[in-house]
Amino acid sequence: MAQALYFTFVLSCLICGSHGLVSSGNGTTTVRSVDYIKTTTVTPTEKRDSTTKPNTTQSNKSTNAPEVRLTSTTTSKVLATTTRPPRTTTTANYSFNTEDLNEGIDKKVEKRVWNKEPEDEPLELECPPLGLESLRVKDTQLRASSYKRRGLGPHRGRLNIQSGIEDGDIYDGAWCAQYEDKKQWLEVDARRPTRFTGVILQGRSSIWSWDFILTYKVQFSNDTLVWQPAMNGTKEAVFEGNQDTETPALALFNESATVARYIRINPQSWYENGTICLRAEVLGCTLPDPNNIYAWQQTEQGTQDKLDFRHHNYKEMRKLMKSVTEACPDITHIYSIGKSHMGLKMYVMEISDHPGKHELGEPEFRYVAGMHGNEALGRELLLNLMQYICQEYKLGNQRIVRLVKETRIHLLPSMNPDGYEMAFKKGSELAGWALGRYSYQGIDMNHNFADLNKVMWDAVEFDFQNNDKSKLINHYIPIPEYYTSEDAFVALETRAVINWMQNIPFVLSANLHGGELVVTYPFDRTEDWAPRDDTPTPDNSFFRWLATVYASTNQVMSNPDRRPCHNENFQRYNNIINGANWHTVQGSMNDFSYLHTNCFDVTVELSCDKFPHASELPIEWENNKESLLIYMEQHDGVYEVTVSAEGYNPSTRMCRVMYEHYPTICDFRLTKTPKQRLKEILAKGGKLPKDLQLRLRQLRLRKLRASTKAINSRRAAASRKARGS
């Protein structure tokens, strides 16, 4: 038709590998991207492969066809395709070579990482921790002889608890006695008869104070009235404590350890320039109480899923991943994205109905765990997740079958395998707060990605000062040259992940951490280097939705009765927070993922305990299972799409994207502006239609009235000025 231009806009998946197609009678127009506040110009004559990312440095204007401008006000990323996606499978090669886990580990690597010394194996504890660190032990189960103030009360005497920045608030870093004498004690109520086997002690967490216990005694009781001391032969045992504030010190009781309900830690000496302060964990095996007829109520909530709930070092992780791919060869594919500094491979488990292939319109999803090697829960959750998906797919669980068929899932359980091995060798309770956090080179990988925030904000500042929008970019931002040089202090593991991001068009991701209970979303860095400040992205509302999806379905985060982990009460934010509003992080993976690849990435802090004991893993799986699944299902949504072209009136409509095998079609009809119609008619030497003649006459009259009014106003002003003089 001469007076209208028709567009077909094809959308698939809310944020994930979405494809857009605009077509008209005279050709096909590819849509580069649809962003929340970002607008990109494209033309009907320009075509590109759907796998190609936009080149933000080149103009895409054409003099032969109208420009098409698309904007979205609800969601962001809609990628392009050059032809209408067929309902049959179309694939592209976005894959890495398959890893053969039957091959042995390189002998040189094995010698470097595992020295075959006894201290290289973690100490096997006879009994698990009661749960002071994991918060299974409630605040009401802790008492003390005295304490200095609320922030140093007995509820703060938990292993690895972290203080706030300032001493003196309610979130201090230990239990500290009010008096300095040998009569002070911290008491733990196990609530059940327990065979106590040991105690782990730390000093006070503080950047201002240096307090720790040198020696201590231990007593047991069944009623808190009569106490029996731990013995060393015929004498009361005195246990060695700490030599610094952070390194955990383990003391094991002898084989005739007392069965009791209560245990007390009684400091005998302490650092001479400090005071009586400690953080503790208690080891013990709970026993059934024959006097309790309701003993069944005390059973710990576990899980019905038959999964491998234990901590897996590198060798055991390989075995587990191999067993999963052998059980489900049709939907799994194991590949490596690179090697760590020590030579350990960074394995990824891909799960898809066509493993090893990228399918047009199918979202690419990733979970990354173990960026900080000592934050081990994410690693085990991903290993559990791949087992669970395999098992449920074979059983015909329709939710899992649908997820596998409609999403290409990538699971990287260990981004920092060197750091994990360091922490694993110490064991879950003795690794402390920081051992294994960094790479072997001492790099914190969550501060190691290219700082593209600065590139973007510098471009915004340049635009503001020079009114030059040609240099303004805020997505697909290229990596600065200095970062890609060989001299750049970038970990091998970081480079491997960046290469992974660039080779597979991920659209949704989550980065699993530990040590808190909260979900954070970009930006992670403040613009003015403030320690913390809310610094939202243009897609803030959608990021908040993604974070809420995980947090609201996590059984611990969503529990209104839970206590804060360390020094922040995230419940007042509904357990989600802008990353920069928690603490500023330069070079985070989330910000880089969003700005360089247009992939939405959030950080999930999974647990107060970074490295929970193996006995906690079934409970943690249940806490996170629904969250892990539902986060991957975030593909449905509504777009408000505005289509405009030069010479046409813009058109806006709501387009709902369904979770289907095929893209959603959204049609538009654009009518030509009177000016465009006149231009085309005059170019052809034709006569003007009556409606257009009338419209032009009205425009001339409007223009004449406006000019007459302006002339009369100037004359009146001049007349008033003349009379005044």
Side-chain angles (χ1 to χ4, degrees):
M1 294 178 63
Q3 298 183 3
L5 182 63
Y6 290 88
F7 289 88
T8 299
F9 190 44
V10 182
L11 301 170
S12 68
C13 303
L14 179 61
I15 59 165
C16 35
S18 306
H19 295 273
L21 170 69
V22 179
S23 62
S24 66
N26 61 354
T28 303
T29 302
T30 57
V31 181
R32 286 199 179 276
S33 66
V34 177
D35 275 9
Y36 183 70
I37 62 166
K38 308 165 188 174
T39 303
T40 307
T41 304
V42 296
T43 70
T45 57
E46 181 189 7
K47 298 184 179 182
R48 69 178 176 90
D49 187 275
S50 64
T51 66
T52 304
K53 292 181 180 178
N55 184 343
T56 59
T57 63
Q58 295 180 355
S59 172
N60 53 0
K61 293 187 178 181
S62 169
T63 57
N64 299 324
E67 295 178 357
V68 179
R69 197 173 289 267
L70 298 172
T71 59
S72 168
T73 58
T74 314
T75 58
S76 287
K77 315 294 185 274
V78 179
L79 306 182
T81 182
T82 56
T83 58
R84 183 167 177 170
R87 299 188 185 225
T88 56
T89 302
T90 304
T91 61
N93 247 346
Y94 287 108
S95 62
F96 290 73
N97 293 332
T98 301
E99 283 290 326
D100 183 4
L101 296 187
N102 290 312
E103 295 181 357
I105 301 171
D106 185 280
K107 295 300 181 183
K108 293 181 180 179
V109 173
E110 195 165 22
K111 186 176 181 180
R112 279 200 303 269
V113 180
W114 303 282
N115 298 318
K116 301 298 182 183
E117 297 292 336
E119 60 268 21
D120 284 344
E121 293 297 323
L123 177 66
E124 290 190 15
L125 300 175
E126 182 182 1
C127 291
L130 295 189
L132 275 77
E133 182 178 9
S134 67
L135 302 186
R136 273 200 300 170
V137 172
K138 308 302 180 186
D139 288 351
T140 54
Q141 294 174 248
L142 301 174
R143 290 200 311 149
S145 53
S146 65
Y147 53 92
K148 284 190 172 183
R149 56 178 180 272
R150 181 186 173 194
L152 294 170
H155 65 292
R156 303 297 293 177
R158 300 172 180 273
L159 188 72
N160 284 321
I161 202 165
Q162 300 297 297
S163 68
I165 296 176
E166 298 180 2
D167 287 352
D169 61 15
I170 63 172
Y171 300 117
D172 223 315
W175 161 67
C176 292
Q178 183 177 1
Y179 309 106
E180 292 187 21
D181 58 45
K182 296 183 180 182
K183 297 180 181 180
Q184 304 306 308
W185 45 261
L186 176 69
E187 179 184 295
V188 181
D189 177 6
R191 288 186 173 173
R192 297 164 65 176
T194 301
R195 183 167 65 88
F196 295 108
T197 59
V199 167
I200 302 172
L201 240 58
Q202 275 177 317
R204 178 181 177 183
S205 168
S206 172
I207 60 175
W208 309 107
S209 304
W210 188 256
D211 304 308
F212 53 89
I213 302 302
L214 296 174
T215 60
Y216 62 98
K217 296 180 179 180
V218 175
Q219 294 98 32
F220 310 100
S221 177
N222 285 313
D223 56 10
T224 71
L225 299 175
V226 178
W227 291 88
Q228 298 292 331
M231 302 297 290
N232 181 15
T234 59
K235 297 181 179 180
E236 188 172 357
V238 178
F239 301 96
E240 291 188 7
N242 303 101
Q243 298 300 314
D244 58 53
T245 60
E246 289 299 326
T247 306
L250 170 66
L252 296 176
F253 308 147
N254 60 34
E255 294 182 359
S256 60
T258 305
V259 173
R261 173 175 169 174
Y262 302 92
I263 183 173
R264 278 182 179 176
I265 301 170
N266 173 213
Q268 296 296 296
S269 62
W270 44 93
Y271 178 58
E272 61 181 353
N273 293 324
T275 188
I276 299 175
C277 295
L278 64 85
R279 294 175 286 168
E281 182 61 88
V282 175
L283 308 177
C285 296
T286 56
L287 306 177
D289 185 353
N291 299 317
N292 185 2
I293 62 174
Y294 301 108
W296 59 271
Q297 293 180 335
Q298 296 178 332
T299 303
E300 286 289 353
Q301 180 184 2
T303 179
Q304 300 296 319
D305 298 323
K306 306 300 182 184
L307 307 175
D308 189 2
F309 294 115
R310 60 193 173 98
H311 287 291
H312 298 77
N313 65 4
Y314 181 76
K315 297 177 182 178
E316 295 300 321
M317 181 184 73
R318 280 168 46 99
K319 291 179 182 178
L320 186 146
M321 295 178 74
K322 180 174 178 287
S323 70
V324 171
T325 198
E326 287 175 346
C328 295
D330 295 335
I331 63 168
T332 60
H333 167 226
I334 298 175
Y335 62 92
S336 170
I337 62 172
K339 293 182 180 181
S340 69
H341 181 81
M342 295 293 285
L344 301 180
K345 291 186 177 181
M346 301 167 66
Y347 291 112
V348 176
M349 173 69 77
E350 177 195 336
I351 303 176
S352 169
D353 59 338
H354 293 90
K357 298 179 180 178
H358 170 74
E359 299 178 67
L360 188 64
E362 183 171 272
E364 301 273 359
F365 177 91
R366 73 170 181 259
Y367 273 131
V368 176
M371 169 181 274
H372 296 142
N374 62 332
E375 296 170 14
L377 179 56
R379 176 192 184 102
E380 298 307 322
L381 288 178
L382 293 192
L383 295 177
N384 293 153
L385 181 62
M386 60 182 72
Q387 290 177 281
Y388 178 81
I389 292 176
C390 174
Q391 292 176 7
E392 294 300 306
Y393 184 86
K394 292 171 69 175
L395 292 172
N397 181 328
Q398 287 304 298
R399 181 186 190 185
I400 300 302
V401 170
R402 186 178 184 182
L403 187 62
V404 171
K405 288 185 175 181
E406 300 185 357
T407 314
R408 190 182 181 205
I409 303 165
H410 304 257
L411 307 178
L412 173 60
S414 187
M415 180 178 167
N416 181 5
D418 295 349
Y420 176 83
E421 293 300 317
M422 285 189 277
F424 178 82
K425 290 173 185 177
K426 280 291 185 181
S428 59
E429 308 310 306
L430 299 177
W433 187 250
L435 180 65
R437 173 185 176 90
Y438 306 99
S439 73
Y440 187 84
Q441 299 168 284
I443 299 173
D444 187 332
M445 295 181 197
N446 204 33
H447 295 253
N448 197 224
F449 287 79
D451 183 8
L452 302 184
N453 305 60
K454 185 178 187 301
V455 176
M456 178 186 64
W457 287 325
D458 286 350
V460 172
E461 182 67 21
F462 180 89
D463 170 57
F464 178 77
Q465 294 179 357
N466 299 277
N467 195 27
D468 180 4
K469 296 185 181 297
S470 64
K471 298 185 182 299
L472 181 58
I473 54 174
N474 63 356
H475 64 307
Y476 290 129
I477 298 177
I479 300 175
E481 289 186 11
Y482 74 85
Y483 185 86
T484 60
S485 69
E486 294 183 1
D487 297 332
F489 193 52
V490 182
L492 290 175
E493 298 88 341
T494 306
R495 293 187 189 276
V497 170
I498 291 175
N499 181 63
W500 187 37
M501 290 179 177
Q502 292 173 331
N503 278 278
I504 296 179
F506 294 112
V507 292
L508 181 60
S509 175
N511 185 10
L512 307 184
H513 285 242
E516 256 299 349
L517 280 167
V518 67
V519 182
T520 73
Y521 52 89
F523 287 123
D524 289 330
R525 187 200 139 175
T526 57
E527 186 172 356
D528 57 359
W529 295 105
R532 58 190 299 173
D533 188 32
D534 189 29
T535 311
T537 69
D539 296 288
N540 190 57
S541 61
F542 190 66
F543 267 121
R544 288 179 58 83
W545 164 256
L546 290 174
T548 300
V549 164
Y550 198 102
S552 63
T553 54
N554 180 281
Q555 293 186 11
V556 180
M557 291 187 200
S558 59
N559 181 0
D561 298 323
R562 76 172 181 88
R563 57 152 285 170
C565 291
H566 298 284
N567 50 60
E568 291 272 4
N569 183 7
F570 290 110
Q571 284 184 292
R572 58 181 176 167
Y573 307 117
N574 294 318
N575 303 300
I576 69 170
I577 192 171
N578 173 260
N581 203 26
W582 181 15
H583 56 265
T584 187
V585 175
Q586 180 185 14
S588 78
M589 186 168 77
N590 291 1
D591 286 3
F592 178 86
S593 174
Y594 176 70
L595 292 173
H596 184 60
T597 71
N598 273 17
C599 176
F600 285 78
D601 206 341
V602 302
T603 290
V604 182
E605 299 283 351
L606 295 163
S607 170
C608 301
D609 189 347
K610 286 185 175 184
F611 203 142
H613 189 268
S615 61
E616 304 270 2
L617 295 179
I619 302 168
E620 293 292 0
W621 166 250
E622 281 300 315
N623 290 341
N624 288 277
K625 178 172 71 173
E626 178 61 22
S627 304
L628 290 167
L629 294 173
I630 199 169
Y631 185 80
M632 290 191 287
E633 295 172 333
Q634 298 311 298
H635 307 321
D636 297 347
V638 178
Y639 292 81
E640 181 183 279
V641 181
T642 297
V643 179
S644 63
E646 184 179 355
Y648 294 84
N649 297 309
S651 176
T652 301
R653 61 167 298 187
M654 304 303 293
C655 300
R656 183 171 184 81
V657 182
M658 305 303 294
Y659 189 50
E660 302 292 350
H661 292 287
Y662 48 86
T664 300
I665 297 174
C666 212
D667 292 323
F668 292 83
R669 179 179 182 271
L670 303 188
T671 57
K672 292 182 180 180
T673 62
K675 184 178 180 180
Q676 179 66 20
R677 290 175 59 197
L678 174 61
K679 187 177 179 181
E680 292 180 0
I681 292 172
L682 294 177
K684 295 178 181 179
K687 294 183 178 180
L688 297 180
K690 289 185 177 180
D691 66 316
L692 193 53
Q693 292 180 16
L694 178 61
R695 178 65 175 160
L696 289 173
R697 189 177 298 114
Q698 291 173 342
L699 289 173
R700 291 192 188 101
L701 287 173
R702 186 181 302 169
K703 187 175 181 180
L704 180 61
R705 293 192 191 100
S707 59
T708 301
K709 184 176 180 181
I711 292 171
N712 290 338
S713 297
R714 288 196 297 270
R715 287 176 176 174
S719 177
R720 287 193 297 272
K721 185 177 180 180
R723 288 197 299 270
S725 59

PDB file of all heavy atoms in Angstrom, residues 658-676:
ATOM      1  N   MET A 658       5.648 -15.090  25.062  1.00  0.00           N
ATOM      2  CA  MET A 658       5.272 -16.314  25.758  1.00  0.00           C
ATOM      3  C   MET A 658       6.453 -17.275  25.807  1.00  0.00           C
ATOM      4  O   MET A 658       7.388 -17.191  25.027  1.00  0.00           O
ATOM      5  CB  MET A 658       4.088 -16.979  25.064  1.00  0.00           C
ATOM      6  CG  MET A 658       2.888 -16.055  24.902  1.00  0.00           C
ATOM      7  SD  MET A 658       2.298 -15.374  26.469  1.00  0.00           S
ATOM      8  CE  MET A 658       1.718 -16.883  27.260  1.00  0.00           C
ATOM      9  N   TYR A 659       6.402 -18.207  26.745  1.00  0.00           N
ATOM     10  CA  TYR A 659       7.451 -19.216  26.908  1.00  0.00           C
ATOM     11  C   TYR A 659       7.113 -20.390  26.000  1.00  0.00           C
ATOM     12  O   TYR A 659       6.549 -21.397  26.406  1.00  0.00           O
ATOM     13  CB  TYR A 659       7.510 -19.645  28.373  1.00  0.00           C
ATOM     14  CG  TYR A 659       8.682 -20.514  28.728  1.00  0.00           C
ATOM     15  CD1 TYR A 659       9.976 -20.145  28.367  1.00  0.00           C
ATOM     16  CD2 TYR A 659       8.502 -21.685  29.444  1.00  0.00           C
ATOM     17  CE1 TYR A 659      11.053 -20.926  28.703  1.00  0.00           C
ATOM     18  CE2 TYR A 659       9.577 -22.478  29.791  1.00  0.00           C
ATOM     19  CZ  TYR A 659      10.849 -22.094  29.423  1.00  0.00           C
ATOM     20  OH  TYR A 659      11.928 -22.881  29.763  1.00  0.00           O
ATOM     21  N   GLU A 660       7.416 -20.240  24.713  1.00  0.00           N
ATOM     22  CA  GLU A 660       7.070 -21.246  23.716  1.00  0.00           C
ATOM     23  C   GLU A 660       8.315 -21.647  22.934  1.00  0.00           C
ATOM     24  O   GLU A 660       9.386 -21.074  23.067  1.00  0.00           O
ATOM     25  CB  GLU A 660       6.008 -20.681  22.747  1.00  0.00           C
ATOM     26  CG  GLU A 660       4.716 -20.224  23.427  1.00  0.00           C
ATOM     27  CD  GLU A 660       3.918 -21.372  24.008  1.00  0.00           C
ATOM     28  OE1 GLU A 660       4.261 -22.540  23.729  1.00  0.00           O
ATOM     29  OE2 GLU A 660       2.955 -21.113  24.755  1.00  0.00           O
ATOM     30  N   HIS A 661       8.135 -22.657  22.065  1.00  0.00           N
ATOM     31  CA  HIS A 661       9.248 -23.137  21.249  1.00  0.00           C
ATOM     32  C   HIS A 661       9.587 -22.159  20.134  1.00  0.00           C
ATOM     33  O   HIS A 661      10.647 -22.250  19.527  1.00  0.00           O
ATOM     34  CB  HIS A 661       8.900 -24.487  20.619  1.00  0.00           C
ATOM     35  CG  HIS A 661       8.780 -25.600  21.625  1.00  0.00           C
ATOM     36  ND1 HIS A 661       9.878 -26.142  22.254  1.00  0.00           N
ATOM     37  CD2 HIS A 661       7.704 -26.259  22.120  1.00  0.00           C
ATOM     38  CE1 HIS A 661       9.480 -27.109  23.081  1.00  0.00           C
ATOM     39  NE2 HIS A 661       8.176 -27.194  23.024  1.00  0.00           N
ATOM     40  N   TYR A 662       8.671 -21.253  19.821  1.00  0.00           N
ATOM     41  CA  TYR A 662       8.854 -20.384  18.669  1.00  0.00           C
ATOM     42  C   TYR A 662       8.708 -18.923  19.100  1.00  0.00           C
ATOM     43  O   TYR A 662       8.122 -18.620  20.143  1.00  0.00           O
ATOM     44  CB  TYR A 662       7.816 -20.715  17.591  1.00  0.00           C
ATOM     45  CG  TYR A 662       6.407 -20.819  18.126  1.00  0.00           C
ATOM     46  CD1 TYR A 662       5.605 -19.689  18.264  1.00  0.00           C
ATOM     47  CD2 TYR A 662       5.886 -22.054  18.510  1.00  0.00           C
ATOM     48  CE1 TYR A 662       4.326 -19.782  18.765  1.00  0.00           C
ATOM     49  CE2 TYR A 662       4.601 -22.150  19.013  1.00  0.00           C
ATOM     50  CZ  TYR A 662       3.818 -21.014  19.139  1.00  0.00           C
ATOM     51  OH  TYR A 662       2.559 -21.110  19.652  1.00  0.00           O
ATOM     52  N   PRO A 663       9.213 -17.990  18.301  1.00  0.00           N
ATOM     53  CA  PRO A 663       9.134 -16.577  18.659  1.00  0.00           C
ATOM     54  C   PRO A 663       7.701 -16.056  18.627  1.00  0.00           C
ATOM     55  O   PRO A 663       6.830 -16.608  17.970  1.00  0.00           O
ATOM     56  CB  PRO A 663       9.993 -15.888  17.589  1.00  0.00           C
ATOM     57  CG  PRO A 663      10.837 -16.972  17.010  1.00  0.00           C
ATOM     58  CD  PRO A 663      10.026 -18.220  17.101  1.00  0.00           C
ATOM     59  N   THR A 664       7.479 -14.980  19.357  1.00  0.00           N
ATOM     60  CA  THR A 664       6.189 -14.292  19.355  1.00  0.00           C
ATOM     61  C   THR A 664       6.207 -13.201  18.290  1.00  0.00           C
ATOM     62  O   THR A 664       7.149 -12.411  18.217  1.00  0.00           O
ATOM     63  CB  THR A 664       5.917 -13.667  20.730  1.00  0.00           C
ATOM     64  OG1 THR A 664       5.896 -14.708  21.709  1.00  0.00           O
ATOM     65  CG2 THR A 664       4.585 -12.934  20.736  1.00  0.00           C
ATOM     66  N   ILE A 665       5.157 -13.148  17.467  1.00  0.00           N
ATOM     67  CA  ILE A 665       5.082 -12.165  16.378  1.00  0.00           C
ATOM     68  C   ILE A 665       4.283 -10.955  16.846  1.00  0.00           C
ATOM     69  O   ILE A 665       3.209 -11.084  17.433  1.00  0.00           O
ATOM     70  CB  ILE A 665       4.420 -12.787  15.129  1.00  0.00           C
ATOM     71  CG1 ILE A 665       5.281 -13.951  14.615  1.00  0.00           C
ATOM     72  CG2 ILE A 665       4.218 -11.733  14.043  1.00  0.00           C
ATOM     73  CD1 ILE A 665       4.648 -14.719  13.478  1.00  0.00           C
ATOM     74  N   CYS A 666       4.814  -9.787  16.580  1.00  0.00           N
ATOM     75  CA  CYS A 666       4.157  -8.534  16.944  1.00  0.00           C
ATOM     76  C   CYS A 666       4.124  -7.652  15.691  1.00  0.00           C
ATOM     77  O   CYS A 666       5.167  -7.216  15.200  1.00  0.00           O
ATOM     78  CB  CYS A 666       4.948  -7.847  18.058  1.00  0.00           C
ATOM     79  SG  CYS A 666       3.941  -6.887  19.192  1.00  0.00           S
ATOM     80  N   ASP A 667       2.943  -7.410  15.114  1.00  0.00           N
ATOM     81  CA  ASP A 667       2.804  -6.671  13.858  1.00  0.00           C
ATOM     82  C   ASP A 667       2.532  -5.186  14.108  1.00  0.00           C
ATOM     83  O   ASP A 667       1.834  -4.810  15.054  1.00  0.00           O
ATOM     84  CB  ASP A 667       1.662  -7.247  13.018  1.00  0.00           C
ATOM     85  CG  ASP A 667       1.979  -8.646  12.514  1.00  0.00           C
ATOM     86  OD1 ASP A 667       3.148  -8.895  12.187  1.00  0.00           O
ATOM     87  OD2 ASP A 667       1.068  -9.478  12.476  1.00  0.00           O
ATOM     88  N   PHE A 668       3.072  -4.364  13.226  1.00  0.00           N
ATOM     89  CA  PHE A 668       2.881  -2.917  13.289  1.00  0.00           C
ATOM     90  C   PHE A 668       2.487  -2.395  11.914  1.00  0.00           C
ATOM     91  O   PHE A 668       2.929  -2.919  10.891  1.00  0.00           O
ATOM     92  CB  PHE A 668       4.178  -2.217  13.732  1.00  0.00           C
ATOM     93  CG  PHE A 668       4.580  -2.490  15.144  1.00  0.00           C
ATOM     94  CD1 PHE A 668       5.285  -3.642  15.470  1.00  0.00           C
ATOM     95  CD2 PHE A 668       4.257  -1.607  16.152  1.00  0.00           C
ATOM     96  CE1 PHE A 668       5.663  -3.906  16.764  1.00  0.00           C
ATOM     97  CE2 PHE A 668       4.633  -1.857  17.463  1.00  0.00           C
ATOM     98  CZ  PHE A 668       5.330  -3.005  17.773  1.00  0.00           C
ATOM     99  N   ARG A 669       1.649  -1.357  11.892  1.00  0.00           N
ATOM    100  CA  ARG A 669       1.279  -0.666  10.655  1.00  0.00           C
ATOM    101  C   ARG A 669       1.581   0.811  10.839  1.00  0.00           C
ATOM    102  O   ARG A 669       0.973   1.475  11.682  1.00  0.00           O
ATOM    103  CB  ARG A 669      -0.204  -0.866  10.333  1.00  0.00           C
ATOM    104  CG  ARG A 669      -0.646  -0.152   9.061  1.00  0.00           C
ATOM    105  CD  ARG A 669      -2.130  -0.422   8.801  1.00  0.00           C
ATOM    106  NE  ARG A 669      -2.584   0.183   7.580  1.00  0.00           N
ATOM    107  CZ  ARG A 669      -3.063   1.418   7.478  1.00  0.00           C
ATOM    108  NH1 ARG A 669      -3.137   2.187   8.566  1.00  0.00           N
ATOM    109  NH2 ARG A 669      -3.474   1.899   6.313  1.00  0.00           N
ATOM    110  N   LEU A 670       2.541   1.317  10.079  1.00  0.00           N
ATOM    111  CA  LEU A 670       2.931   2.716  10.168  1.00  0.00           C
ATOM    112  C   LEU A 670       2.337   3.494   9.000  1.00  0.00           C
ATOM    113  O   LEU A 670       2.445   3.071   7.848  1.00  0.00           O
ATOM    114  CB  LEU A 670       4.462   2.861  10.140  1.00  0.00           C
ATOM    115  CG  LEU A 670       5.265   2.117  11.216  1.00  0.00           C
ATOM    116  CD1 LEU A 670       6.729   2.538  11.144  1.00  0.00           C
ATOM    117  CD2 LEU A 670       4.712   2.375  12.599  1.00  0.00           C
ATOM    118  N   THR A 671       1.713   4.623   9.322  1.00  0.00           N
ATOM    119  CA  THR A 671       1.151   5.489   8.270  1.00  0.00           C
ATOM    120  C   THR A 671       2.136   6.610   7.959  1.00  0.00           C
ATOM    121  O   THR A 671       2.838   7.108   8.847  1.00  0.00           O
ATOM    122  CB  THR A 671      -0.181   6.090   8.725  1.00  0.00           C
ATOM    123  OG1 THR A 671       0.022   6.819   9.938  1.00  0.00           O
ATOM    124  CG2 THR A 671      -1.209   4.995   8.951  1.00  0.00           C
ATOM    125  N   LYS A 672       2.172   7.013   6.690  1.00  0.00           N
ATOM    126  CA  LYS A 672       3.100   8.062   6.278  1.00  0.00           C
ATOM    127  C   LYS A 672       2.645   9.419   6.790  1.00  0.00           C
ATOM    128  O   LYS A 672       1.446   9.703   6.879  1.00  0.00           O
ATOM    129  CB  LYS A 672       3.206   8.105   4.754  1.00  0.00           C
ATOM    130  CG  LYS A 672       3.893   6.885   4.157  1.00  0.00           C
ATOM    131  CD  LYS A 672       4.011   7.003   2.649  1.00  0.00           C
ATOM    132  CE  LYS A 672       4.711   5.780   2.062  1.00  0.00           C
ATOM    133  NZ  LYS A 672       4.835   5.861   0.595  1.00  0.00           N
ATOM    134  N   THR A 673       3.601  10.263   7.082  1.00  0.00           N
ATOM    135  CA  THR A 673       3.289  11.632   7.472  1.00  0.00           C
ATOM    136  C   THR A 673       2.881  12.415   6.222  1.00  0.00           C
ATOM    137  O   THR A 673       3.279  12.072   5.091  1.00  0.00           O
ATOM    138  CB  THR A 673       4.514  12.298   8.108  1.00  0.00           C
ATOM    139  OG1 THR A 673       5.574  12.343   7.140  1.00  0.00           O
ATOM    140  CG2 THR A 673       4.987  11.532   9.329  1.00  0.00           C
ATOM    141  N   PRO A 674       2.064  13.476   6.377  1.00  0.00           N
ATOM    142  CA  PRO A 674       1.687  14.293   5.214  1.00  0.00           C
ATOM    143  C   PRO A 674       2.902  14.816   4.451  1.00  0.00           C
ATOM    144  O   PRO A 674       2.902  14.875   3.222  1.00  0.00           O
ATOM    145  CB  PRO A 674       0.884  15.434   5.849  1.00  0.00           C
ATOM    146  CG  PRO A 674       0.334  14.844   7.103  1.00  0.00           C
ATOM    147  CD  PRO A 674       1.382  13.901   7.602  1.00  0.00           C
ATOM    148  N   LYS A 675       3.933  15.193   5.174  1.00  0.00           N
ATOM    149  CA  LYS A 675       5.129  15.717   4.525  1.00  0.00           C
ATOM    150  C   LYS A 675       5.767  14.670   3.620  1.00  0.00           C
ATOM    151  O   LYS A 675       6.195  14.968   2.492  1.00  0.00           O
ATOM    152  CB  LYS A 675       6.122  16.176   5.583  1.00  0.00           C
ATOM    153  CG  LYS A 675       7.372  16.823   5.019  1.00  0.00           C
ATOM    154  CD  LYS A 675       8.276  17.295   6.147  1.00  0.00           C
ATOM    155  CE  LYS A 675       9.539  17.939   5.574  1.00  0.00           C
ATOM    156  NZ  LYS A 675      10.451  18.410   6.662  1.00  0.00           N
ATOM    157  N   GLN A 676       5.805  13.412   4.100  1.00  0.00           N
ATOM    158  CA  GLN A 676       6.393  12.339   3.303  1.00  0.00           C
ATOM    159  C   GLN A 676       5.547  12.045   2.069  1.00  0.00           C
ATOM    160  O   GLN A 676       6.065  11.820   0.965  1.00  0.00           O
ATOM    161  CB  GLN A 676       6.529  11.068   4.164  1.00  0.00           C
ATOM    162  CG  GLN A 676       7.113   9.873   3.434  1.00  0.00           C
ATOM    163  CD  GLN A 676       8.559  10.060   3.021  1.00  0.00           C
ATOM    164  OE1 GLN A 676       9.249  10.922   3.583  1.00  0.00           O
ATOM    165  NE2 GLN A 676       9.012   9.294   2.044  1.00  0.00           N
TER     166      GLN A 676
END
